Amino acid sequence: MTRQARSSKPKSKPPKVTASPRLSQLEVRNLATIPELTLHLGEGFCAFTGETGAGKSIIVDALGLLLGGRANSDLIRTGADDLLVTGFWGEESASRRVSAAGRGNARLDGEVVSVRELQEWAQGRLTIHWQHSAVSLLSPANQRALLDRRVAQEAQAYAAAFTAWREADTRLETLRANERERARQLDLLRFQSQEIAEVAPQPGEEEPLNAELTRLANLHTIASAAAGGLDLLSDGDMNASALLAEAIRALNSGAKYDENTGQLQNELREALEAVQAVVSELRDTAEQSAPDPEQLATVEARLAALNKLRHKYGPTLEDVLEFHAKVEEELSSLEKDEQDAGTLQDEVEALHAELLKVGARLDQAREREAGPLAGQLLAVIRELGMPHARMEFRLSSTPSPTAHGLSDVTLLFNANPGEALAGLADVASGGELSRVMLAISTVLGADTPCVVFDEVDAGIGGTAAQAVAAQLARLAEERQVLVVTHLAQIAARAHHHFKVEKGVENGRTVSRVRLLGEAERLDEIARMLSGNTSEAALTHARELLATR
């Protein structure tokens, strides 16, 4: 049966969280020691407490899966086939299923998406500061990003200028690196283009050329045939022309008296004229019996030139012409590259000069904001139990422009009086890093409507614990804040107090989460203070709760 943890009216009303939507509900199934859970989350400050080993951080693990965290099958409850985590932000939902068989899926509003898409979606709604995630502050890139949040406009302008310069410079380097190969290719393409252009082939011209070659090669045979035809039609002792003329004369007497005979006589005259026209052409053909060597050579040369092009660039003349068009296109592109190599150098130099100007403005903006931001962070850090802490953003010039600017940004720190400033990695303990992270979240604000802290209070107590609690409460005025904590001072400031409990049900270890009522909360605060619910512990717990 699903056990649900539902909000009850807290003693102090939580502030209205302006960033929306907040995480309103979390459903978990078969995750580690949690068989099934539906958790309803309120606005403002939500604290999760419980005995050591009860499974408080499982809630953070569940949210981590929605952020695209690594899906380890060890997280699946023993005996189950899969685990499922679903989060609800208003009307929107995100879920992640992990299978013991190694498969799984992610969904947004019920539709299957990639884990990367789920991660990108969730990163705009949820931030988790893991117990050891404060070490991310040790990254120079993250330290620089802190300062650049105050100079976003200048940082974006520099990024755009760097991209433009780098793309142009890369293209110039490519053009120069390929200069020898480009020259070789240009020579080849120019030769091919000229070779085809000089012949200037025309589609379909080979067929009539071949026919002309055949004719020229057989002129003697053609003339002999024409002479034979002339003999029969005109030049022989008995020929068609003479016979037709005689037939025309024979019809003269009948044509005087018979219209039909006259018509036939006219048709014979037309036949004679046609024969005489053919005789004229045959005579011309018979007289041209001697071949023209120059004309024959011209046709043969033309066919040879076309044949050579077909063998090299064919197999057809159409293919040759298509190849020529491609050569011209590539030639034009390479010649443009050759011209660009000359003009691109000027462009690269101009873009580099502009990059240096934009980079200088970015450095000036960083210098302007570095002191005030460090001061704001220090004010909070000193409240968090480090009264002697010092902090400074230091800029150091890079040898050449980088993707992030003309300078590196380093966050220097020291919590001990009299000691020199140094990099966070060299001087800050884990607990100090956690409190620096909390200060950053408070001063710069979280980027998402829901912020989760997993035991950010590790290694602190007393006055520092009170200060951390106050800072978390301050952050909860603008964000929904979820905190896994072992400190009563922090839990007492929460608007909603959830307790994580571990027990044995049907021979299996089970973790449950429930929202505490006022009386239960008093007992839990007392337990966290002294390990029992003695009257002294309860009195102290009442005092803490009264300060909310």
Side-chain angles (χ1 to χ4, degrees), residues 162-175 344-345 347-349 351:
F162 180 84
T163 298
W165 168 71
R166 196 71 190 95
E167 288 179 350
D169 190 56
T170 299
R171 176 164 170 74
L172 180 60
E173 290 176 359
T174 301
L175 289 175
L344 192 56
Q345 177 64 47
E347 182 181 349
V348 169
E349 291 175 358
L351 289 172

Side-chain angles (χ1 to χ4, degrees), residues 201-244:
Q202 301 297 318
E205 70 169 303
E206 282 184 298
E207 185 175 349
L209 282 173
N210 281 315
E212 178 65 7
L213 180 63
T214 300
R215 187 187 73 80
L216 291 174
N218 294 278
L219 279 179
H220 181 71
T221 301
I222 295 170
S224 296
L230 279 173
D231 190 60
L232 293 172
L233 293 178
S234 176
D235 296 347
D237 292 338
M238 183 174 291
N239 59 75
S241 296
L243 292 173
L244 283 171

Side-chain angles (χ1 to χ4, degrees), residues 199-499:
V199 176
Q202 301 297 318
E205 70 169 303
E206 282 184 298
E207 185 175 349
L209 282 173
N210 281 315
E212 178 65 7
L213 180 63
T214 300
R215 187 187 73 80
L216 291 174
N218 294 278
L219 279 179
H220 181 71
T221 301
I222 295 170
S224 296
L230 279 173
D231 190 60
L232 293 172
L233 293 178
S234 176
D235 296 347
D237 292 338
M238 183 174 291
N239 59 75
S241 296
L243 292 173
L244 283 171
E246 185 64 29
I248 292 170
R249 287 193 293 274
L251 294 177
N252 281 337
S253 57
K256 295 179 182 180
Y257 307 108
D258 180 43
E259 183 177 350
N260 185 50
T261 300
Q263 180 63 35
L264 292 173
Q265 187 183 47
N266 289 334
E267 291 178 6
L268 286 174
R269 289 192 182 99
E270 292 175 359
L272 178 59
E273 291 175 358
V275 169
Q276 290 173 342
V278 171
V279 166
S280 177
E281 292 189 22
L282 286 176
R283 197 173 303 282
D284 291 339
T285 301
E287 292 173 354
Q288 295 176 1
S289 59
D292 185 346
E294 184 176 347
Q295 185 179 9
L296 182 62
T298 299
V299 174
E300 288 177 337
R302 178 65 179 173
L303 284 170
L306 295 175
N307 191 51
K308 181 180 179 180
L309 291 182
R310 283 195 301 102
H311 281 299
K312 292 182 70 173
Y313 312 117
T316 67
L317 286 184
E318 286 74 12
D319 294 324
V320 172
L321 292 170
E322 184 177 345
F323 178 83
H324 187 241
K326 291 179 180 179
V327 165
E328 289 293 302
E329 182 179 350
E330 189 173 352
L331 190 58
S332 175
S333 177
L334 287 177
E335 288 174 341
K336 183 177 184 301
D337 285 346
E338 196 171 36
Q339 295 170 357
D340 288 349
T343 60
L344 192 56
Q345 177 64 47
D346 295 336
E347 182 181 349
V348 169
E349 291 175 358
L351 289 172
H352 186 264
E354 178 63 20
L355 179 66
L356 295 180
K357 292 180 183 178
V358 176
R361 287 197 290 269
L362 174 59
D363 276 349
Q364 291 169 1
R366 285 171 169 169
E367 292 281 6
R368 183 185 68 243
E369 295 294 333
L373 176 56
Q376 290 176 309
L377 291 173
L378 270 178
V380 177
I381 289 170
R382 287 169 177 169
E383 290 180 7
L384 299 178
M386 292 182 281
H388 303 292
R390 287 169 298 135
M391 175 180 284
E392 177 184 308
F393 287 95
R394 181 169 296 174
L395 274 66
S396 55
S397 298
T398 57
S400 59
T402 68
H404 55 75
L406 306 181
S407 300
D408 287 326
V409 178
T410 306
L411 182 58
L412 304 180
F413 178 81
N414 205 305
N416 302 313
E419 299 296 326
L421 288 170
L424 279 173
D426 299 321
V427 297
S429 66
E432 289 169 343
L433 277 178
S434 295
R435 281 175 277 175
V436 172
M437 175 69 83
L438 178 58
I440 290 170
S441 295
T442 304
V443 172
L444 293 176
D447 294 324
T448 58
C450 179
V451 190
V452 182
F453 292 91
D454 181 22
E455 298 194 20
V456 70
D457 50 22
I460 63 172
T463 303
Q466 292 282 14
V468 170
Q471 290 300 325
L472 289 169
R474 188 177 306 169
L475 183 61
E477 292 176 0
E478 297 181 353
R479 297 286 187 270
Q480 181 187 40
V481 176
L482 278 58
V483 179
V484 174
T485 182
H486 67 280
L487 291 180
Q489 294 92 329
I490 291 177
R493 296 296 295 267
H495 303 108
H496 314 281
H497 188 160
F498 297 88
K499 184 174 182 180

Side-chain angles (χ1 to χ4, degrees), residues 84 93-97 103-119 121:
L84 177 65
S93 68
S95 67
R96 178 90 178 272
R97 184 186 300 275
R103 297 183 299 273
N105 60 61
R107 293 178 183 270
L108 290 176
D109 294 330
E111 294 187 10
V112 176
V113 297
S114 67
V115 174
R116 175 177 286 276
E117 289 175 308
L118 172 68
Q119 180 184 48
W121 184 92

